Amino acid sequence: MTTLPELSAADLAALLSSKLCHDIISPVFGIQSGLELLDDMPDDRESMELVRHSLKSAVAKLQFARIAFGSAGSPTATIDLNEARTAAMGYMDHEKATLVWEGEGGYAAKNFAKIILNLVVLASASISRGGEVRVDIEAIDPPRASVRASGERIRIQPRLLALLNGDAAQEAVDAQAIQPYYTLFLAKETGLTVVHEKNDASVVFRVS
């Protein structure tokens, strides 16, 4: 099982909060800018479209974060994978890559669903120029799934690679590393493993 750096509960909460604020601040600023433009040009269509687009992005990111980072309840609580899929689709509507989500549906262990959602973000980040992220839910009990990113240029965050390979146990976790850390932390808490395979055209993360 992957060895993770030590991180206090307070630091984990603070870094996840920082990650959430980072994701939300851009569309919120977009709404603010659009409204300021509408003050000067009340009937400007481009300004109104900026507000609409930014608002949809902010709502999608918040709905995604509610499940991926939040979701109250005990570690054994469950999440409807259809709800998780809807949240992931909404999030990816505002990213360069497209999302395909297939496989078994129904209620799955909370942390398993959260791991999948976080891997969707990490997979999308590895194909920043666009491509396809594909989720395959192979089984719910015992949980097993894969998240594959396919695109022209595959680049995995060095910190993610270090965490996956167990080479980051002595490194401090910062805001850039918190999402891969949290993903592997959830896996460790649930008794699951996350491994990856990479080639020139794709990277696949497997959860089992």
Side-chain angles (χ1 to χ4, degrees), residues 40-108:
D40 298 328
M41 301 176 291
D43 298 323
D44 184 61
R45 291 185 177 181
E46 290 187 5
S47 299
M48 182 56 72
E49 182 57 31
L50 174 61
V51 172
R52 288 196 183 100
H53 176 79
S54 299
L55 180 59
K56 289 179 180 178
S57 177
V59 170
K61 290 178 183 296
L62 283 171
Q63 289 176 332
F64 180 89
R66 181 178 65 85
I67 303 177
F69 302 140
S71 186
S74 68
T76 57
T78 58
I79 288 177
D80 185 351
L81 287 177
N82 289 326
E83 183 180 1
R85 177 183 181 276
T86 298
M89 288 292 186
Y91 179 93
M92 291 298 293
D93 279 345
H94 302 277
E95 300 296 308
K96 291 182 180 180
T98 58
L99 176 64
V100 177
W101 183 303
E102 295 186 347
E104 190 171 344
Y107 284 83

Side-chain angles (χ1 to χ4, degrees), residues 7-18 173 178 181-183 185:
L7 189 64
S8 71
D11 286 340
L12 176 60
L15 288 169
L16 285 176
S17 296
S18 177
V173 179
I178 191 57
Y181 177 92
Y182 184 59
T183 305
F185 175 82

